[in-house]
Amino acid sequence: MTKTNLITGFLGSGKTTSILHLLANKDPDEKWAVLVNEFGEVGIDGALLADSGALIKEIPGGCMCCVNGLPMQVGLNTLLRQGKPDRLLIEPTGLGHPKQILDLLTAPVYEPWIDLRATLCLLDPRQLLDEKSVQNDNFRDQLAAADIIIANKEDRATPESAAALTLWWQHFGGDRQLQHTTQGAIDNALLDLPRHNVAELPASAEHSHGRGEKQGLAALSLPAHQRWRRSLNSGQGHHACGWVFDADTCFDTIGLLEWARLAPVERVKGVMRIPEGLVRVNRQGSDFHIETQNVAPPDSRIELISAVNTDWNALQSSLLKLRLTSGD
Ligand SMILES: Nc1nc2c(ncn2[C@@H]2O[C@H](COP(=O)(O)OP(=O)(O)OP(=O)(O)O)[C@@H](O)[C@H]2O)c(=O)[nH]1
Ligand SMILES: [Mg+2]
């Protein structure tokens, strides 16, 4: 059986960062797999995890319980049966439905394969000060369904966010564990803790299956000879717009970083080709993380998420102007 953990948390709370940390500290003899589920259709986290040494499977385009269907079940089965990983980490979208995902993973069909352990929920305590996040069902359900709460981004904590966390913990902490950390640096031993009985968890009243069942598991790709395409997705009060560009399209580094820094959205993430190789951009609010690597990526992909309607066309035309090579 594959030991399995859900790594939950709201948009940009540090799930992927934490998974990268766990992978870097795993027993090198163990084979791990990551199932990464994203709100947007373009799929960036798979590219962010690409060099981590784990088997990666992506489920883009909305919460995995909403995109659930035959392709998703086949994908999970293939991962478990063919990959035979010792450990499976599942990163649901920050706008996911944890109760339904836990139901899915404990369904009889997966019983012989999945040994479900503790669910870890990443929390940026500053999000407790943001009324929009606190009122969001996904945000609340994820915290309620967790066995262990990881208060991440300690380096960004303020007296107000620390007080909000203390107050929240008094009301909702219960007998669970609370860990404080930065850069998702948690102890791998947490993964082996048992999961609580979540049978009593209320399913979110707002839960809906959005745009219905989706086909396929792969992140968005480009048809042959197409230089780029974009994809939109909305649901759970959020809107995403992502773009994929072919391998030959290269971007002006400084212009691209400015574009990503200034875009009037909450979340920006991408892996893009630049003259120096590739750049990974990852922005949550004003936290902006950039990493470059001296290798060309297989394509360029970038995604923005916003809670308000955004002028995607204006952002698109400024992005297109940053291409150094020609393309339609
Ligand atoms: N300052 C600071 N930034 C952090 C920390 N942990 C993660 N980040 C940054 O927060 C941003 C979001 O991190 P991710 O790990 O991509 O978050 P996520 O929860 O996987 O995001 P989604 O999958 O989009 O919901 C990135 O820019 C990270 O570099 C931390 O402890 N401190
Ligand atoms: Mg992520």
Side-chain angles (χ1 to χ4, degrees), residues 16 45 91 269:
T16 304
D45 281 357
E91 178 184 336
K269 51 185 180 176

Side-chain angles (χ1 to χ4, degrees), residues 44-45 48 253-261 267-272 274 278-284 287-292 301-304 319:
I44 309 293
D45 281 357
L48 294 176
T253 313
I254 302 291
L256 178 67
L257 295 179
E258 275 306 277
W259 181 88
R261 191 173 66 82
R267 191 87 182 92
V268 179
K269 51 185 180 176
V271 179
M272 302 288 279
I274 52 171
L278 66 80
V279 63
R280 298 189 183 93
V281 292
N282 197 338
R283 197 192 111 203
Q284 165 65 34
D287 292 347
F288 193 20
H289 187 76
I290 304 159
E291 242 174 60
T292 53
R301 43 187 66 227
I302 193 155
E303 189 144 67
L304 311 182
L319 179 62

Side-chain angles (χ1 to χ4, degrees), residues 7-20 36-39 45 48 91-95 122 124 126 151-156 181-185 267-269 281-285 287-291 305:
I7 311 290
T8 64
F10 204 54
L11 285 178
S13 52
K15 299 177 290 296
T16 304
T17 306
S18 177
I19 290 174
L20 282 166
V36 53
N37 170 219
E38 286 199 77
F39 180 67
D45 281 357
L48 294 176
E91 178 184 336
T93 131
L95 298 167
L122 276 289
D124 177 349
R126 294 173 301 173
N152 191 33
K153 306 200 183 186
E154 276 241 279
D155 56 322
R156 294 279 198 244
T181 192
T182 0
Q183 300 297 340
R267 191 87 182 92
V268 179
K269 51 185 180 176
V281 292
N282 197 338
R283 197 192 111 203
Q284 165 65 34
D287 292 347
F288 193 20
H289 187 76
I290 304 159
E291 242 174 60
I305 301 180

